[in-house]
Amino acid sequence: TREIVSTYPAIIEVQMAQGARVSADSLEVHPTTTVIVKCDSLTGPIEIEKLRDWLKIRLNTEEITLIQQ
């Protein structure tokens, strides 16, 4: 968390969990990492996408579900 806060100082809290995303129509299961960030001023689609891209590289996964609080 120190690394993410130094890169994105607006972030106050980070929660991460491994889980699965299930498609309702096919019941196909996709492993995913869910990341919930609580922040002061990280808004706007550009900052969210930059954070998502950073997380994909840092966590070495393409499946990121990012939720901003």
Side-chain angles (χ1 to χ4, degrees):
T1 45
R2 286 183 188 173
E3 185 177 357
I4 198 168
V5 171
S6 68
T7 306
Y8 296 92
I11 294 177
I12 299 167
E13 184 177 290
V14 179
Q15 297 177 40
M16 288 187 246
Q18 295 289 342
R21 180 174 44 85
V22 180
S23 299
D25 58 348
S26 67
L27 298 179
E28 189 173 340
V29 177
H30 303 276
T32 187
T33 301
T34 301
V35 180
I36 302 171
V37 292
K38 184 176 182 181
C39 48
D40 281 336
S41 61
L42 182 69
T43 57
I46 293 173
E47 285 297 310
I48 296 297
E49 283 309 308
K50 284 172 63 177
L51 176 57
R52 185 186 320 277
D53 291 343
W54 184 86
L55 287 165
K56 285 179 180 180
I57 293 167
R58 188 65 183 97
L59 299 175
N60 194 28
T61 182
E62 287 297 312
E63 295 296 326
I64 298 282
T65 301
L66 180 60
I67 302 168
Q68 179 185 357
Q69 290 185 328

